[in-house]
C-alpha cells in the first residue's frame, strides 16, 4: 500500500513564504508525475504545480514566478516552495502521485491534504 504524507501547511501573512513537503512510502518501483493541487472553499480542485520524473515542471499561471516545485526521486518526495503568498492562495493543498508503479500494478495516489491560510 502506498501512502502520501504531507507537511508544512499553516497560517502566514500576505507576502510570506511556506514550504510544503510530501513523501510517498510503500513498495514503490517508480512514480511518473508528482504534483500539488489545491481546493478552496466552494471551488473545484485545481492544479498548482507538477513535475515529471526527469524534473520537468509545470505551473498554474496564477503561481508562476512565486512557487517552485522540486522532487527527490530517491526519496519519492516532492516539495513546493511558496513565496509571495496572497490571500487567494488560501486552500487545502493536496499532494498527488500519478502512475505509481508497484508490484501490484499502476495507479494514482493522493495525500490527505494540508491547510494553507494566508491572512493578516
Amino acid at each position: 500500500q502506498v501512502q502520501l504524507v504531507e507537511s508544512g501547511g499553516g497560517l502566514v501573512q500576505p507576502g510570506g513564504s511556506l514550504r510544503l513537503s510530501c513523501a510517498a512510502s510503500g513498495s514503490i518501483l517508480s512514480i511518473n508525475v508528482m504534483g500539488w493541487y489545491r481546493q478552496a472553499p466552494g471551488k473545484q480542485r485545481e492544479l498548482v504545480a507538477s513535475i515529471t520524473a526527469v524534473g520537468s515542471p509545470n505551473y498554474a499561471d496564477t503561481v508562476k514566478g512565486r512557487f517552485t516545485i522540486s522532487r527527490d526521486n530517491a526519496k519519492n518526495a516532492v516539495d513546493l516552495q511558496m513565496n509571495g503568498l496572497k490571500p487567494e492562495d488560501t486552500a487545502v493543498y493536496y499532494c498527488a502521485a500519478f502512475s505509481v508503479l508497484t508490484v501490484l500494478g499502476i495507479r494514482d495516489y493522493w495525500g490527505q491534504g494540508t491547510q494553507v491560510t494566508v491572512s493578516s
Side-chain angles (χ1 to χ4, degrees):
Q1 183 71 6
V2 173
Q3 289 188 321
L4 302 184
V5 179
E6 302 133 331
S7 61
L11 173 64
V12 64
Q13 292 186 342
S17 298
L18 280 176
R19 188 176 185 88
L20 304 182
S21 296
C22 172
S25 62
S27 301
I28 298 169
L29 300 175
S30 66
I31 302 176
N32 185 12
V33 176
M34 299 189 78
W36 290 93
Y37 286 70
R38 67 187 180 188
Q39 187 166 20
K43 294 187 176 182
Q44 290 189 333
R45 190 173 297 189
E46 62 177 6
L47 171 70
V48 177
S50 63
I51 187 167
T52 68
V54 295
S56 178
N58 178 49
Y59 297 97
D61 288 342
T62 53
V63 307
K64 281 181 180 177
R66 300 188 297 124
F67 292 9
T68 302
I69 191 169
S70 60
R71 177 171 173 171
D72 186 334
N73 288 333
K75 296 180 180 179
N76 292 318
V78 62
D79 288 353
L80 184 69
Q81 178 65 41
M82 304 185 293
N83 299 327
L85 283 161
K86 305 175 181 180
E88 50 264 42
D89 293 318
T90 296
V92 177
Y93 283 69
Y94 296 90
C95 176
F98 299 105
S99 298
V100 179
L101 177 63
T102 69
V103 294
L104 298 179
I106 297 177
R107 58 161 287 186
D108 303 334
Y109 293 89
W110 291 83
Q112 78 285 358
T114 184
Q115 177 70 45
V116 171
T117 302
V118 185
S119 176
S120 55

